[in-house]
């Protein structure tokens, strides 16, 4: 599950700061690169046609699709079913072992879609106007495809590697994360004491044909989902009840959705504002430079709610689901709503919950956490060999675009792997426009064919630069 994010701090660097020798993919014969590119487009369409909407997921069919290709290429792999129609798939290309492994992580499930709102069926993988349409094209079958082609390329080209390259595709990322949890609990040895992990989370913004920046996810907010339930006397719809459960629920939700949480400027976002002010309009630059002083101004707090920076400077609440009666003429005895709450690093979920309960202040309304457990925000350092490789590859594959560490407003499986000591990063091999990025979890999700044809090369460059014997 990906999202819009803010750049925490921008690491500008001159292209001249890195060796200007060709990156590894440029040394592969053009006819071979065309073959890999053709495979990428073909496999992308095949993959997008596998319906892994979660719930229920049915990701095992995607794992079997992966396995068929990995088997044909002679790449070591195993499938691990752990529930009906749900399975992880793991694969590995061995290195010398001189350095610890790197994991390529992707999830096979996708969110739901409404075919009536799409130009083409969500699982048709049709090509229109130079783009492949399909649920998961952005989140995250596109990246899983690039990782797969990279594994095939490594197997065929046989560069000398000092690290094992581990491919891991998991189910259920969009709901409970049971696939990753199962692997960590039951097959930790196959993760090889990995040093690094790369998965979704970054974004490379394309403006006017040029990549503006390369975003790398290094930290994220914590998910704290809540259920609001109102209970009262049921009745017939023809006889209105002022004290009905739906009325109590609506009154509570009205308070919640108009509640402006406090603005909080974390050090990383403060650094982002300091660096980015020079690139903003005069009005926005002034706001960035004076943010701390203006945070307690009620008018300013309301203004920020409509700004892109909003999720980075406050705990957020989104009303996402509602439920009540199954019939129009029945007043239900219970009505409910779900809230998607995202907390900034360092926030106490219990204290936040108590604030909401005090705000609603209604004995007929309860607010309870949905999370089985609360996962505290975590982060990965930027002074690592892999982060340096991102900068080196960006210098050539993305035209010298600056690399920007980011604090994401949503969740990825990075959070689970960071907690077991793996430096984990969200990085995308694709350049996307703002419009294309907005289709993630939305209508008409798509990826440009030209990006599918080149994305795997970016991954290949990252991995062979990181793990290759010759840097």
């Amino acid at each position: 599950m990906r999202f819009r994010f803010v750049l925490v701090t921008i690491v500008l660097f001159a292209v001249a700061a890195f060796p200007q020798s060709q990156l590894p993919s440029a040394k592969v014969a053009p006819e071979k690169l065309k073959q890999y590119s053709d495979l990428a487009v073909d496999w992308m369409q095949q993959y997008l046609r596998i319906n892994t909407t979660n719930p229920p997921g049915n990701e095992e069919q995607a794992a079997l699709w992966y396995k068929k290709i990995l088997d044909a290429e002679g790449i070591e792999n195993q499938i691990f079913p752990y529930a009906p129609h749900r399975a992880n798939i793991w694969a590995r290309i061995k290195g010398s072992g001189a350095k610890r492994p790197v994991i390529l992580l992707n999830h096979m499930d996708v969110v739901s879609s409404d075919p009536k709102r799409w130009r083409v069926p969500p699982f048709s993988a049709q090509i229109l106007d130079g783009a492949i349409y399909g649920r998961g094209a952005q989140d995250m079958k596109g990246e899983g495809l690039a990782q797969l082609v990279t594994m095939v390329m490594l197997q065929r080209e046989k560069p000398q590697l000092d690290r094992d390259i581990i491919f891991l595709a998991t189910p259920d990322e969009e709901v409970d994360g049971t696939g990753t949890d199962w692997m960590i609990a039951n097959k930790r040895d196959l993760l090889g004491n990995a040093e690094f992990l790369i998965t979704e989370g970054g974004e490379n913004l394309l403006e006017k044909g040029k990549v503006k920046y390369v975003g790398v996810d290094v930290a994220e907010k914590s998910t704290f989902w809540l259920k609001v339930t109102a209970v009262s006397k049921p009745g017939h719809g023809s006889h209105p009840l002022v004290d009905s459960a739906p009325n109590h629920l609506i009154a509570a939700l009205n308070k919640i959705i108009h509640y402006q949480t406090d603005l909080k400027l974390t050090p990383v976002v403060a650094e982002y504002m300091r660096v980015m002010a020079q690139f903003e309009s005069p009005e926005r630059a002034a706001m960035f430079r004076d943010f701390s002083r203006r945070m307690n101004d009620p008018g300013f707090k309301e203004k920020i709610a409509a700004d892109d920076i909003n999720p980075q400077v406050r705990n957020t609440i989104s009303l996402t689901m509602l439920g009540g009666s199954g019939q129009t003429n029945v007043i239900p005895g219970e009505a409910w709503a779900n809230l998607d709450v995202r907390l900034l690093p360092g926030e106490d979920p219990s204290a936040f919950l108590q604030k909401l309960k005090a705000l609603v202040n209604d004995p007929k309304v309860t607010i309870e956490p949905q999370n089985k457990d609360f996962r505290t925000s975590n982060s990965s350092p930027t002074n690592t060999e892999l982060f340096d490789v991102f900068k080196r590859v960006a210098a050539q594959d993305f035209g010298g675009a600056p690399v920007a560490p980011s604090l994401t407003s949503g969740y990825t499986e990075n959070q689970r792997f960071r907690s077991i000591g793996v430096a984990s990063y969200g990085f995308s091999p694709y350049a996307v426009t703002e419009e294309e990025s907005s289709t993630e979890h939305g209508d008409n999700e798509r990826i440009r064919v030209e990006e599918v044809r080149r994305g795997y090369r970016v991954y290949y460059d990252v991995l062979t630069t990181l793990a290759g014997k010759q840097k």
Side-chain angles (χ1 to χ4, degrees), residues 57-315:
N58 292 326
E59 300 94 343
E60 188 173 37
Q61 58 183 328
L64 290 170
W65 177 82
Y66 271 132
K67 182 171 179 57
K68 182 178 179 180
I69 294 171
L70 293 166
D71 283 347
E73 296 293 332
I75 298 173
E76 177 189 10
N77 71 88
Q78 294 183 61
I79 282 185
F80 298 104
Y82 67 93
H85 311 297
R86 315 206 88 158
N88 293 287
I89 182 165
W90 168 96
R92 177 174 60 188
I93 292 178
K94 293 283 288 180
S96 70
K99 295 184 178 180
R100 291 161 60 193
V102 57
I103 298 172
L104 298 179
L105 174 69
N106 66 87
H107 63 83
M108 298 175 284
D109 59 322
V110 299
V111 297
S112 59
S113 50
D114 182 355
K116 297 189 296 296
R117 298 177 58 89
W118 284 56
R119 295 179 64 188
V120 299
F123 296 97
S124 65
Q126 291 186 41
I127 296 178
L128 295 177
D129 303 322
I132 306 175
Y133 281 65
R135 174 57 86 216
Q138 293 288 332
D139 183 13
M140 71 166 297
K141 287 184 174 179
E143 289 174 60
L145 179 280
Q147 292 176 358
L148 173 67
V149 177
T150 302
M151 293 290 285
V152 170
M153 193 173 178
L154 290 169
Q155 177 74 353
R156 293 184 183 182
E157 301 303 319
K158 301 190 183 305
Q160 291 187 314
L161 302 173
D162 277 339
R163 301 178 187 269
D164 289 359
I165 309 298
I166 297 171
F167 173 94
L168 179 60
T170 62
D172 198 34
E173 187 271 353
E174 297 288 0
V175 180
D176 290 324
T178 57
T180 285
D181 284 346
W182 189 93
M183 285 297 297
I184 290 174
N186 296 281
K187 296 295 177 180
R188 184 80 167 266
D189 58 312
L190 292 181
L191 303 180
N193 190 30
E195 183 175 8
F196 299 118
L197 178 146
I198 307 172
T199 189
E200 64 179 343
E203 182 180 63
N204 312 318
L205 185 62
L206 187 67
E207 288 186 353
K208 299 179 181 179
K210 182 179 180 181
V211 175
K212 185 176 181 180
Y213 56 78
V214 173
V216 178
D217 165 18
V218 300
E220 58 195 48
K221 296 173 79 174
S222 291
T223 301
F224 187 48
W225 290 351
L226 300 175
K227 184 166 188 175
V228 184
T229 306
V231 178
S232 191
K233 181 181 177 181
H236 197 289
S238 66
H239 191 89
L241 298 175
V242 174
D243 194 42
S244 73
N247 286 356
H248 278 275
L249 178 67
I250 294 302
L253 293 178
N254 190 52
K255 293 178 181 178
I256 291 171
I257 64 178
H258 288 96
Y259 172 47
Q260 296 291 345
T261 58
D262 292 337
L263 297 179
K264 298 184 179 182
L265 189 59
T266 59
V268 290
V269 178
E271 176 64 10
Y272 157 75
M273 291 182 178
R274 186 190 67 77
V275 174
M276 288 297 293
Q278 61 185 305
F279 303 111
E280 300 291 341
S281 65
E283 180 182 1
R284 190 171 168 83
M287 183 263 283
F288 276 18
R289 294 187 176 107
D290 200 26
F291 196 90
S292 294
R293 189 181 65 81
R294 300 167 66 182
M295 283 196 305
N296 295 321
D297 179 344
F300 185 69
K301 289 173 66 174
E302 185 173 352
K303 179 181 178 181
I304 291 300
D307 194 283
D308 285 345
I309 198 70
N310 185 62
Q312 316 311 321
V313 294
R314 62 168 23 124
N315 301 318

Side-chain angles (χ1 to χ4, degrees), residues 41 128-132 137-138 204 206 430-433 436 446-454:
V41 174
L128 295 177
D129 303 322
I132 306 175
Q138 293 288 332
N204 312 318
L206 187 67
Y430 302 119
V432 295
T433 65
E436 290 164 347
R446 60 193 182 272
I447 184 170
R448 276 173 292 121
V449 173
E450 64 185 271
E451 287 302 305
V452 175
R453 295 185 67 86
R454 71 178 291 273

